[in-house]
Amino acid sequence: MFHIFLEKMQTIKTPVYSAPAKVFHWLTVLLLAIQYSIGWLMPDIGRDTQPIGLISWHLSIGALIVLLVLLRLLWRWTHPAPPVPQMLSPLLNMIARTTHWLLYFLLIAFPLMGWANASSRGWSVSLFGVVPLPPLSSKGSQLGHTLGDMHQLFVWVLIAVVALHVAAALYHHFIVKDDTMRRMLPGG
Ligand code: HEM
Ligand code: HEM
């Protein structure tokens, strides 16, 4: 009897994130890595800089990230996350959930700041020159200028929150040794 019970226990699998949720997650990570690299490699931006070359790629990929995250949020609202395998403590659980929603918020607000800055410079933002997107501030706008400064600051805020998130995932995997991270890995 006990033997059958044990076999049953072993076949029970931790529910993982759905394939679309995983694709959204890892595509966002990939696009962010590309976007950070371009942001740091592109030329310094001055009064007369034109949005060409790497800068043009930065605007398009940034806008693509906003659209992707909006789609991801729509998906998430209609498809709840799978339950966590083992709740460490209600406080840690609350911190994890808050961090996830903070990440979603930053992934939208932070690129929009750059976008408003681009508009205030009189640059038109489009998706790879194919789909024109509306300006978020008027040319010469003081608000667009300030949001540009905030965009530069938020480069580091997002890195800090992502670092906390990745540290938590690795803590689950290597220290607690539970299935939390496996739920988001390809194949899982
Ligand atoms: C999540 C998406 C984005 C990331 C990770 C990102 C990252 C960066 C990075 C690393 C820099 C360089 C900062 C520095 O050298 O101090 C930068 C600058 C800039 N980004 Fe973004 N960016 C994103 C989205 C956008 C979008 C959507 C736009 C516009 C449509 C944009 C417009 C700009 C502009 C105009 C600058 C130069 C700011 C200045 O020097 O005054 N960014 N971004
Ligand atoms: C740019 C980097 C990243 C961003 C912006 C990001 C963002 C997010 C967000 C918003 C969620 C919440 C999903 C939901 O709605 O339930 C999430 C979940 C998750 N992420 Fe990331 N992530 C990043 C990198 C990583 C990396 C590198 C790892 C692995 C080492 C990872 C592992 C996980 C895991 C395991 C979950 C599920 C957590 C849970 O439901 O308890 N993430 N991520």
Side-chain angles (χ1 to χ4, degrees), residues 35-79:
Q35 183 69 342
Y36 266 99
S37 311
I38 295 178
W40 281 319
L41 287 174
M42 67 190 188
D44 284 344
I45 294 170
R47 211 170 263 278
D48 301 319
T49 310
Q50 292 303 309
I52 49 170
L54 281 183
I55 300 179
S56 152
W57 281 100
H58 189 76
L59 306 189
S60 286
I61 295 176
L64 182 65
I65 291 175
V66 177
L67 297 181
L68 180 79
V69 175
L70 287 176
L71 278 179
R72 183 175 172 187
L73 276 173
L74 261 181
W75 172 270
R76 178 63 168 78
W77 262 311
T78 47
H79 301 79

Side-chain angles (χ1 to χ4, degrees), residues 94-115:
M94 197 195 75
I95 293 175
R97 288 166 67 105
T98 311
T99 310
H100 294 157
W101 291 110
L102 182 62
L103 280 169
Y104 282 128
F105 169 77
L106 287 174
L107 289 174
I108 305 243
F110 162 52
L112 288 186
M113 292 172 191
W115 185 336

